């Protein structure tokens, strides 16, 4: 009953909101209202001829329409597709499709049904699978949606850990999207980071990735989105510098930027702009001008069913009316805020997102334990089969034993003769032929240590083992042997650790730290890319460069 399982999680959302037929036909309404097993089987049969890829393509076309009823149909298709693919994604192509379907389904639960538990479960399954199989092109969209989910949880619960984790996910989404040339996703992730900076002062990731954002080379068709994000970034910087009037002018210039987008996307952008304008006007003391903007947000959120936006708008209106001295209106909207917040929490079992993480981890562990138990059962069957074969083989060996004993001596003699003829020798240990004495090794090791700690040439990106050998006046092979034996590692590892140590020294010096970006610091100590520097820095220290800076600042 794949369809029954797929529908169970979504029909309560659809019937609560619509009460009308889906594009799949009357049978879905029957299922939503308590359809019989025969009805659900009939719908399953109706779609049984569709492959998971065809179902995902159908879902993609419906989601492009942006209408609620089309999204509901897409959700049904995606639920059926993921149910079928759950145990059938052994190839890269199948895994890619499965991850895409899980991501789309998680986004639907997040943005249309506001069911954060289902959204988190689907997105985390997609994340685990994509990370396990290094499908980096799939990860930006997953990270982006998880970032939005954690931020939304922060808005509801005010848990600062959720805001920090949401910001970190958005930063990962931007970095990975940029690395994979997924510029639209990169811009969306960066725009979300800007919003966090404006609303909540969460600017760590924004500062870390601003240089990378400005250096992006985009195709012509992305210029409008890039310009929008650039203007928002400038406005955020004006906020930080205490110039809300300048920020307001930039927000006003963006009013027509998304006029050609689908309604849902356009309305969400308009609500975001209205919030930013109202925030700027409030800081300027023009609260009467801010009020119509928030009231317009209330109207749009109600008409479009943006429940996640609505409760936040109620809170903003309550705060604004309080500042304006209208306590009656403030109390009215405060009541609406708590009712809307409770509705989101009760309907979707929101709670604390870390409870979701715990439940997901527990379910994952249970699934892995069940899979392990199944493998153990299969292994026991295989063991008995192998044991039976081993008994047959043992009997055969016993029967051949006498012949073997008789031939053994001949085989041994023949082997020794071949060894003598072919000049075979056992593999000698590494450096067995080395003529270096203990004193030579200690001298070379001391010279190596001196070069690494006193000669800035080691921070050149083209510094090599050969150059090190020249500086310590010893053959390259001898230098390599000493590094292996005296330091217990190879040249590249030794050089990387020294460069990371030097980077740490520079980061701990406030004057030097101000001079460097992460990228310029990486280049200054010999790394050819920021990504390679970050990877090696974390491997050596256990922290990213940004985390190290944060810790060093106390």
């Amino acid at each position: 009953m794949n369809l029954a399982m797929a529908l169970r999680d979504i029909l309560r959302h659809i019937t609560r909101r619509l009460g009308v037929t889906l594009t799949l036909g009357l049978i879905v309404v029957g299922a939503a209202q308590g359809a019989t097993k025969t009805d659900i089987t009939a719908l399953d049969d109706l779609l049984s001829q569709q492959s998971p890829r065809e179902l995902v393509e159908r879902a993609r076309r419906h989601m492009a329409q942006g209408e609620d009823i089309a999204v509901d149909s897409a959700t049904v298709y995606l639920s059926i597709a993921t149910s079928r693919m759950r145990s059938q994604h052994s190839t890269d192509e199948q895994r890619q499709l499965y991850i895409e379907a899980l991501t789309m389904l998680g986004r639907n639960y997040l943005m249309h049904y506001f069911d954060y538990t289902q959204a988190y479960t689907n997105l985390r399954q997609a994340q685990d699978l994509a990370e396990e199989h290094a499908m980096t092109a799939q990860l930006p969209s997953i990270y982006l949606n998880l970032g939005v989910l954690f931020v939304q949880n922060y808005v509801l619960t005010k848990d600062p850990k959720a805001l920090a984790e949401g910001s970190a996910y958005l930063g990962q989404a931007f970095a990975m999207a940029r690395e994979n040339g997924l510029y639209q996703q990169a811009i969306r992730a960066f725009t979300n980071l800007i919003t966090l900076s404006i609303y909540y002062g969460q600017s760590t990731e924004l500062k870390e990735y601003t240089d990378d954002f400005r250096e992006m080379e985009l195709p012509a068709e992305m210029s409008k989105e890039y310009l929008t994000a650039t203007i928002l970034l400038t406005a955020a910087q004006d906020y930080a510098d205490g110039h809300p009037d300048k920020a307001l002018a930039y927000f006003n210039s963006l009013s027509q930027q998304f006029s050609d987008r689908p309604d849902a996307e356009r309305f969400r952008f308009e609500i975001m702009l209205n919030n930013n304008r109202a925030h700027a006007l409030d800081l300027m003391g023009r609260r009467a001008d801010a009020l119509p903007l928030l009231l317009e947000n209330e109207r749009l959120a109600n008409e479009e069913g943006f429940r996640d936006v609505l409760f936040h708008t109620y809170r903003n209106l309550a705060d604004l009316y309080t500042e304006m001295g209208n306590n009656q209106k403030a109390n009215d909207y405060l009541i609406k805020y708590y009712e809307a917040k409770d509705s989101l929490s009760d309907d979707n079992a929101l709670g604390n997102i870390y409870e979701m993480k715990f439940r997901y981890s527990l379910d994952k562990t249970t699934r892995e334990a069940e899979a392990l138990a199944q493998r153990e059962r299969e292994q026991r069957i295989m063991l008995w089969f192998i044991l039976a074969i081993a008994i047959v083989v043992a009997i055969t060996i016993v029967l051949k034993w006498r012949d073997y004993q008789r031939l053994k001596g001949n085989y041994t003699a023949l082997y020794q003769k071949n060894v003598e003829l072919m000049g075979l020798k056992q593999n000698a240990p590494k450096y067995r032929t080395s003529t270096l004495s203990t004193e030579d090794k200690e001298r070379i090791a001391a010279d190596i240590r001196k070069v690494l700690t006193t000669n800035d040439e080691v921070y050149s990106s083209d510094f090599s083992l050969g150059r090190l050998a020249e500086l310590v006046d010893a053959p390259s092979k001898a230098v390599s042997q000493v590094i292996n034996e005296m330091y217990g590692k190879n040249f590249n590892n030794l050089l990387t650790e020294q460069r990371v140590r030097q980077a740490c020294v520079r980061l701990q010096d406030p004057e030097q730290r101000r001079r460097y970006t992460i990228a310029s610091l990486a280049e200054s100590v010999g790394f050819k890319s920021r990504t390679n520097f970050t990877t090696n820095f974390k491997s050596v220290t256990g922290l990213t460069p940004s985390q190290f800076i944060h810790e060093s600042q106390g």
Side-chain angles (χ1 to χ4, degrees):
M1 294 302 297
N2 290 333
L3 182 58
M5 295 174 61
L7 289 176
R8 186 175 298 120
D9 292 331
I10 64 172
L11 288 177
R12 61 188 176 91
H13 302 292
I14 298 173
T15 54
R16 180 177 61 229
R17 191 181 65 216
L18 295 177
V20 295
T21 38
L22 295 179
T23 55
L24 287 177
L26 289 171
I27 192 167
V28 175
V29 174
Q33 297 172 346
T36 66
K37 185 179 294 186
T38 303
D39 292 329
I40 296 177
T41 303
L43 182 55
D44 199 17
D45 291 341
L46 179 67
L47 296 176
S48 62
Q49 303 303 316
Q50 302 290 317
S51 69
R53 181 167 297 280
E54 289 171 324
L55 290 170
V56 173
E57 288 297 331
R58 278 175 176 262
R60 190 181 290 111
R61 289 195 297 271
H62 280 290
M63 289 173 66
Q65 298 175 26
E67 300 176 358
D68 285 343
I69 195 167
V71 172
D72 293 333
S73 298
T75 302
V76 173
Y77 290 133
L78 290 169
S79 297
I80 297 171
T82 54
S83 177
R84 291 181 184 174
M85 289 188 287
R86 188 167 291 118
S87 59
Q88 299 176 6
H89 51 270
S90 56
T91 68
D92 284 346
E93 183 179 0
Q94 291 171 333
R95 276 191 289 269
Q96 183 175 346
L97 182 66
Y98 184 38
I99 292 169
E100 181 181 1
L102 286 170
T103 305
M104 293 166 65
L105 188 57
R107 176 175 170 77
N108 278 4
Y109 278 119
L110 173 63
M111 301 303 295
H112 295 280
Y113 303 125
F114 312 109
D115 188 330
Y116 302 107
T117 301
Q118 286 293 337
Y120 181 80
T121 298
N122 282 282
L123 291 171
R124 275 301 311 273
Q125 287 178 358
Q127 178 188 353
D128 289 346
L129 195 59
E131 289 179 344
E132 180 183 354
H133 295 280
M135 293 187 163
T136 56
Q138 306 281 88
L139 284 169
S141 179
I142 300 169
Y143 290 156
L144 176 58
N145 284 291
L146 281 169
V148 171
L149 173 59
F150 272 84
V151 172
Q152 187 68 343
N153 181 266
Y154 167 76
V155 173
L156 284 165
T157 65
K158 300 305 179 185
D159 184 344
K161 291 188 297 182
L163 180 60
E165 196 155 352
S167 181
Y169 265 124
L170 292 172
Q172 287 180 285
F174 169 76
M176 193 156 287
R178 178 179 180 271
E179 186 176 329
N180 285 275
L182 303 171
Y183 297 117
Q184 186 175 53
Q185 293 183 28
I187 291 174
R188 287 181 177 176
F190 194 77
T191 301
N192 276 279
L193 289 173
I194 295 172
T195 302
L196 295 189
S197 175
I198 293 173
Y199 287 165
Y200 309 117
Q202 186 75 12
S203 58
T204 302
E205 279 75 14
L206 180 64
K207 291 178 181 178
E208 181 175 349
Y209 294 111
T210 293
D211 289 342
D212 290 341
F213 171 75
R214 294 187 185 281
E215 293 170 3
M216 285 199 303
E217 297 181 3
L218 303 175
E221 62 268 19
M222 295 299 300
S223 58
K224 187 174 183 180
E225 287 83 352
Y226 183 74
L227 175 62
T228 299
T230 301
I231 293 173
L232 286 173
L233 176 61
T234 305
Q237 292 169 338
D238 285 332
Y239 264 122
D241 294 338
H243 301 298
D245 53 331
K246 294 182 180 180
L248 179 62
Y250 284 117
F251 294 140
N252 289 334
S253 71
L254 292 172
S255 59
Q256 299 301 316
Q257 282 296 95
F258 275 51
S259 58
D260 58 342
R261 294 300 179 88
D263 286 349
E265 189 173 348
R266 175 164 53 86
F267 289 144
R268 282 189 178 272
F269 183 75
E270 184 176 344
I271 289 170
M272 182 269 289
L273 275 185
N274 285 344
N275 275 334
N276 289 339
R277 290 167 174 161
H279 187 42
L281 289 166
D282 187 21
L283 292 175
M284 295 164 62
R286 295 169 54 186
R287 298 183 178 90
D289 294 329
L291 181 59
L293 296 170
L294 295 182
L295 291 173
E296 174 63 10
N297 280 359
E298 180 187 14
R299 183 189 69 80
L300 284 173
N302 268 312
E303 289 182 357
E304 298 302 318
F306 295 158
R307 297 170 66 203
D308 56 329
V309 172
L310 191 58
F311 90 93
H312 194 246
T313 302
Y314 287 153
R315 184 59 196 238
N316 288 340
L317 281 164
D319 292 342
L320 186 60
Y321 274 121
T322 298
E323 292 170 358
M324 295 173 70
N326 191 335
N327 292 330
Q328 180 61 49
K329 281 285 189 181
N331 288 335
D332 290 344
Y333 275 105
L334 198 58
I335 290 171
K336 289 183 178 181
Y337 163 74
Y338 283 116
E339 288 176 345
K341 180 179 178 181
D342 289 343
S343 174
L344 276 176
S345 299
D346 292 343
D347 287 349
N348 305 302
L350 176 62
N352 187 294
I353 199 162
Y354 294 96
E355 294 176 7
M356 290 188 221
K357 292 179 70 174
F358 173 75
R359 288 197 298 270
Y360 176 80
S361 298
L362 186 62
D363 290 343
K364 182 181 177 183
T365 301
T366 301
R367 291 194 301 270
E368 290 174 348
E370 290 173 350
L372 179 61
Q374 177 62 26
R375 285 196 298 271
E376 289 177 348
R377 286 193 293 271
E378 294 172 353
Q379 288 171 356
R380 281 197 296 270
I381 294 172
M382 182 61 69
L383 182 61
W384 282 109
F385 178 72
I386 293 173
L387 183 59
I389 294 177
I391 292 172
V392 173
V393 172
I395 293 172
T396 303
I397 292 175
V398 169
L399 295 175
K400 298 293 183 179
W401 183 256
R402 290 182 181 178
D403 292 339
Y404 170 75
Q405 289 294 326
R406 187 175 63 252
L407 294 173
K408 182 178 179 181
N410 294 335
Y411 289 155
T412 302
L414 182 60
Y415 170 77
Q416 294 297 338
K417 183 176 181 180
N418 277 278
V419 167
E420 294 172 2
L421 291 174
M422 298 173 64
L424 294 175
K425 297 181 180 179
Q426 295 183 345
N427 293 327
K430 198 172 184 181
Y431 306 123
R432 182 177 178 181
T433 59
S434 173
T435 59
L436 286 178
S437 66
T438 301
E439 291 76 11
D440 291 336
K441 293 177 185 178
E442 291 176 350
R443 179 191 63 77
I444 294 173
D447 290 345
I448 291 172
R449 187 160 41 250
K450 181 178 179 181
V451 169
L452 290 176
T453 56
T454 63
N455 194 328
D456 286 347
E457 191 173 345
V458 301
Y459 307 122
S460 170
S461 60
D462 58 359
F463 188 74
S464 65
L465 175 64
R467 180 55 182 156
L468 176 60
E470 292 176 7
L471 293 174
V472 301
D473 192 23
S476 295
K477 185 174 181 181
V479 172
S480 178
Q481 178 183 344
V482 170
I483 292 174
N484 288 169
E485 293 182 353
M486 303 293 284
Y487 289 93
K489 58 194 70 177
N490 60 32
F491 168 74
N492 287 332
N493 290 339
L494 183 66
L495 182 61
T496 295
E497 289 182 3
Q498 177 58 33
R499 289 173 171 175
V500 169
R501 278 195 294 270
Q502 180 61 24
C504 291
V505 170
R506 297 180 185 183
L507 288 176
Q508 288 177 314
D509 183 341
E511 291 188 6
Q512 292 195 63
R513 185 168 62 238
R514 282 193 292 271
R515 292 209 315 265
Y516 291 111
T517 64
I518 300 297
S520 63
L521 176 63
E523 184 179 355
S524 73
V525 295
F527 290 95
K528 294 184 178 180
S529 74
R530 171 181 170 154
T531 300
N532 181 253
F533 171 63
T534 300
T535 299
N536 282 288
F537 192 98
K538 186 169 185 180
S539 175
V540 173
T541 67
L543 300 170
T544 65
S546 297
Q547 291 169 333
F548 188 89
I549 292 172
H550 179 73
E551 292 297 326
S552 68
Q553 291 174 336

